[in-house]
Amino acid sequence: MAKRDYYDVLGVAKSASADDIRKAYRKLARQYHPDVNKSADAQKRFTEVQEAYDALSDEQKRRTYDQFGHTQTRAGPPPGGAAGGAGHYTWSNVGGPGGFGGGGGAGGVDVDMEHLGSVFEAFFGGRGAPQGFGAAGRSRARGGRGRPRPAPAEEQPAVEHELNITFLTAARGGTERLRLIEDGATRTVEVKIPRGISDGARLRVGEVLLKVRVGHHPLFRRAEFPGQPEQGLDLHLDLPLTIAEAALGATVTVPTLDGMVDLTIPPGTSSGRKLRIRGRGVEDAQGKRGDLYVAARVVVPDGAKLAPEDAAALRRIAEAGPAPRAGDEWQRPPQ
């Protein structure tokens, strides 16, 4: 039976780019791999796909195939009878007798170990290929020396996505579920969020690169001023105080990531003064923890709504208290 055209096998046009061929190969390899597809012809289809990719992914082999067809693409030793050259692992000799996964035979199909490793990486969710496969396992695989691979700059770049998480998930860590659409198929992956991750940080899940975007919290900030990126381990909190609490001192209850704590407000606390609560900030994955900085914000009453006696009391307090604008610089314009 005549072999199928390699371009038809991969479902690409003869003008397809190297990236198009690589994408088609990875999709079909996942579809027909015997460990995933249990149909009767899965092994045959997988071998056919691998053979087509082996011929079309190599620039020299592809030119030969385009010119001569199947008669030349599976040639033996290089011209001149040299026995060396690029060493290939065959489907029958990778896993020992019977071939990998129990299939194959004595005259198996050449398998590109590096690209086979990338297929396993896709199967196992980015955890890497089994020992002996892919870039990390070429030195441990049995067989030849392996043919030279393209420079890393030619590899397909990672697919980038944004991952939006809540402020508390970023601070405490957790797990997020992300839906990805690849080659028309939808899959859901679980992303482990480490404690203390910052806004703008990147996480890699297989071939997907995630840029983390941290949402805002109604009370806490991980930056000294609003609008700055949510980064660092210190927390900042604005604490509203009445005039009496700020002037006379008080003990107020303050929220933290670990629950409520009592905070002593010293007498004469001005608006903007910062009080530190040690060890109540964000804890990172290594166990390092920041502090919580509480900034006093004195809330003044609406003078138009004060009773006459209350307004008079405030005036007496102002006359008795320190002058808020003392100093020569407040008495004349700058010279």
Side-chain angles (χ1 to χ4, degrees):
M1 183 183 305
K3 284 189 177 183
R4 293 175 61 199
D5 180 82
Y6 285 152
Y7 292 99
D8 290 342
V9 171
L10 296 181
V12 297
K14 291 190 175 182
S15 59
S17 67
D19 281 344
D20 292 336
I21 291 173
R22 186 183 301 113
K23 290 177 183 177
Y25 162 70
R26 289 181 176 179
K27 177 182 178 181
L28 293 172
R30 287 194 295 264
Q31 179 179 350
Y32 291 114
H33 192 279
D35 288 347
V36 177
N37 191 324
K38 301 303 181 182
S39 62
D41 65 340
Q43 175 71 60
K44 177 182 177 182
R45 295 297 299 273
F46 182 85
T47 302
E48 187 180 44
V49 167
Q50 179 63 51
E51 181 178 333
Y53 178 72
D54 186 64
L56 299 183
S57 63
D58 184 281
E59 187 175 339
Q60 178 62 42
K61 285 185 178 181
R62 184 176 179 181
R63 284 199 300 265
T64 302
Y65 176 73
D66 289 343
Q67 185 174 2
F68 299 105
H70 288 293
T71 58
Q72 296 295 326
T73 56
R74 305 286 300 164
H88 284 261
Y89 298 90
T90 66
W91 194 246
S92 59
N93 70 19
V94 171
F100 178 80
V109 177
D110 286 348
V111 177
D112 183 332
M113 298 299 290
E114 181 166 343
H115 286 284
L116 185 59
S118 70
V119 174
F120 274 103
E121 184 177 1
F123 291 151
F124 293 100
R127 297 192 297 273
Q131 182 173 354
F133 291 93
R138 285 194 296 273
S139 62
R140 297 190 297 271
R142 291 183 291 168
R145 293 182 296 277
R147 65 178 171 182
R149 298 305 309 157
E154 298 181 12
E155 292 296 327
Q156 186 177 10
V159 179
E160 293 193 13
H161 289 270
E162 280 199 354
L163 177 64
N164 296 304
I165 62 176
T166 67
F167 182 94
L168 293 180
T169 298
R172 296 170 174 166
T175 302
E176 292 284 329
R177 296 176 69 85
L178 179 66
R179 292 183 63 204
L180 299 175
I181 300 177
E182 297 177 346
D183 299 325
T186 301
R187 66 186 179 104
T188 302
V189 297
E190 287 193 348
V191 183
K192 185 179 173 85
I193 309 298
R195 293 194 312 266
I197 195 169
S198 297
D199 181 65
R202 284 175 165 79
L203 297 173
R204 193 178 188 101
V205 180
E207 295 182 354
V208 179
L209 187 63
L210 301 175
K211 185 175 184 180
V212 176
R213 289 303 185 192
V214 179
H216 298 294
H217 191 274
L219 295 179
F220 299 115
R221 301 187 306 274
R222 289 174 65 181
E224 186 171 2
F225 303 106
Q228 294 178 327
E230 296 291 349
Q231 299 174 346
L233 299 181
D234 290 335
L235 282 179
H236 298 266
L237 170 69
D238 291 336
L239 177 64
L241 296 174
T242 66
I243 291 179
E245 290 172 332
L248 303 177
T251 298
V252 299
T253 302
V254 176
T256 74
L257 292 178
D258 304 313
M260 309 300 289
V261 299
D262 290 335
L263 177 64
T264 299
I265 307 300
T269 295
S270 299
S271 190
R273 180 176 178 178
K274 292 181 181 177
L275 305 172
R276 181 170 66 174
I277 306 178
R278 295 181 182 273
R280 291 290 184 162
V282 176
E283 182 179 8
D284 65 13
Q286 288 72 45
K288 184 178 179 180
R289 189 152 197 173
D291 300 325
L292 172 61
Y293 289 87
V294 179
R297 299 286 183 247
V298 178
V299 180
V300 299
D302 185 351
K305 297 180 180 180
L306 287 175
E309 59 272 20
D310 294 332
L314 282 178
R315 291 190 184 96
R316 289 195 301 270
I317 293 172
E319 291 171 358
R325 294 174 297 280
D328 291 344
E329 63 272 17
W330 289 100
Q331 308 305 317
R332 57 179 181 271
Q335 299 296 321

